[in-house]
Amino acid sequence: MALGVGALTACGSRTTDESAAAAESCVDTSGDTIKVGSLHSLSGTMAISEETVRDSVALAIEEINADGGVLGKQIEPIVEDGASDPAVFAERAEKLITADCVAAVFGGWTSSSRKAMLPVVEDNNALLYYPVQYEGLESSPNIFYSGATTNQQIVPALDYLKEERDIESLYLVGSDYVFPQTANRVIRAWADANDVEILGEDYTPLGSTDFSTIVNKVRTAQPDAVFNTLNGDSNVAFFREYSNAGLAAEDTPVVSVSIAEEEVQGIGAENIVGQLTSWNYYQTIDSPANTAFVDAFKAKYGENRVTSDPMEAAYTSVYLWKNTVEKAGSFDVPAVQEAADGVSYEAPEGTVTIDGENNHISKTALIGEIRPDGLIYEVWSSGEPIEPDPYLETYDWAGELSGN
């Protein structure tokens, strides 16, 4: 596999990784089962988002086991709670890899949790399948990114706002950690190149529930749109305050990149109707693969449950791991890495394919609108899968960000 790029440092530069650490694996392939890790926040501020991802990983494992498993072995999931704390994610990942001897870890949501796990999986030459859209500017031979990178979500959302909504100004609101801060650097670079004015940029700690000041600042600034990179249950408080302040989608639309169907239920559809999201999957996608997926999820967890982009990406990642292992004919990490390029899966979102140069996958960009029923409906599509460009090397305006 031609992947020679390691993690992104805090300032955005790349570090060269000659090879993954030659750690000795303790994965036991002698029996009838193979262990994998399922690591998500089941407590704390991120539980509102991550519990459903745990559920979709479990569904994929159940389906694969019912179909004969992977290389004839049944998958045994070991579930751990990252507790919405990056340090806990790192600790639990270490346990899963070195004590439980899992063949792969599925999980993480915030970029802080991913970055905490990155040295753990690299130092132990293990595999992490990370299912959530993120800020880009990273790749690792030990992480497979099944969520969108920047050119598959954030950039299409910005282009949509300019080309379809004729926006000339933006206000940026985000949680105070890696993803929103880096995403907003990208947004500012795009805005400079597209004559779009940034009228304000505010951050609040994860879990924050007081948005009166920020919402008042947005109302005073009167931007054409708000770009929202809040995560977790802070979105509930933000949109309720936004609605209470009389701000509405008709006049000041918000485009969010971390609100999916699960979060809409927590916010209350009446507080967010008409607002926009940018993802690569919605429950309302009309295709046989998605119908089967939604039906299976509801049959397992209840008719009142909804599906969403991160949990679909997590579900897809388990199948991508299965397909890659079967192509390699081995659970051995170097063999899986070598086999990954070109591995595809007919996912609920559409066909996805792993790019072995950066361990990201092709994804179709979708802009959606939240409707009164609490579901999100496509209003714009890229029409075909977008090849991953995590370092934004194909954009002249991103030269300083990507190191071009």
Side-chain angles (χ1 to χ4, degrees), residues 118-369:
L118 190 149
V120 175
V121 295
E122 288 191 339
D123 290 348
N124 289 285
N125 197 23
L127 295 176
L128 169 65
Y129 285 77
Y130 177 71
V132 184
Q133 48 72 229
Y134 82 114
E135 69 281 357
L137 306 180
E138 178 184 295
S139 57
S140 167
N142 296 89
I143 299 179
F144 286 92
Y145 306 77
S146 60
T149 188
T150 320
N151 76 306
Q152 299 166 320
Q153 186 196 32
I154 291 175
V155 175
L158 293 167
D159 289 342
Y160 169 83
L161 288 173
K162 181 175 175 61
E163 295 166 11
E164 304 293 332
R165 296 294 185 107
D166 298 319
I167 65 120
E168 296 180 354
S169 62
L170 282 171
Y171 201 105
L172 311 181
V173 178
S175 298
D176 193 9
Y177 74 103
V178 176
F179 164 61
Q181 292 166 349
T182 306
N184 285 342
R185 286 175 50 223
V186 172
I187 292 169
R188 283 189 171 274
W190 174 91
D192 286 345
N194 285 274
D195 296 321
V196 172
E197 186 178 4
I198 304 298
L199 298 180
E201 182 174 350
D202 282 300
Y203 299 95
T204 186
L206 276 169
S208 198
T209 59
D210 183 2
F211 284 92
S212 57
T213 300
I214 289 177
V215 168
N216 281 333
K217 289 169 72 174
V218 171
R219 185 168 52 186
T220 300
Q222 297 184 319
D224 291 334
V226 174
F227 206 101
N228 171 30
T229 52
L230 293 169
N231 259 267
D233 54 12
S234 289
N235 277 299
V236 177
F238 171 72
F239 276 101
R240 288 181 177 175
E241 182 68 30
Y242 202 83
S243 178
N244 290 339
L247 293 169
E250 296 79 22
D251 304 311
T252 315
V254 179
V255 60
S256 300
V257 290
S258 295
I259 287 179
E261 290 83 345
E262 191 80 11
E263 288 78 17
V264 172
Q265 287 189 331
I267 295 165
E270 68 278 7
N271 295 308
I272 199 170
V273 166
Q275 300 293 9
L276 302 171
T277 64
S278 179
W279 288 107
N280 310 96
Y281 167 86
Y282 299 120
Q283 178 176 305
T284 53
I285 287 176
D286 184 13
S287 71
N290 187 46
T291 297
F293 170 60
V294 173
D295 288 349
F297 188 81
K298 287 179 176 291
K300 182 173 177 61
Y301 296 110
E303 282 297 318
N304 64 320
R305 294 291 301 274
V306 292
T307 58
S308 65
D309 183 291
M311 53 86 76
E312 185 271 347
Y315 173 90
T316 294
S317 71
V318 182
Y319 276 95
L320 285 171
W321 170 74
K322 170 186 181 291
N323 291 353
T324 310
V325 167
E326 291 179 343
K327 178 183 175 183
S330 172
F331 294 100
D332 185 59
V333 169
V336 172
Q337 291 170 320
E338 184 66 30
D341 187 42
V343 169
S344 293
Y345 172 60
E346 299 299 322
E349 68 182 87
T351 303
V352 298
T353 305
I354 297 175
D355 184 336
E357 291 291 332
N358 52 48
N359 280 3
H360 293 66
I361 65 176
S362 56
K363 297 178 80 72
T364 300
L366 303 174
I367 306 300
E369 181 182 281

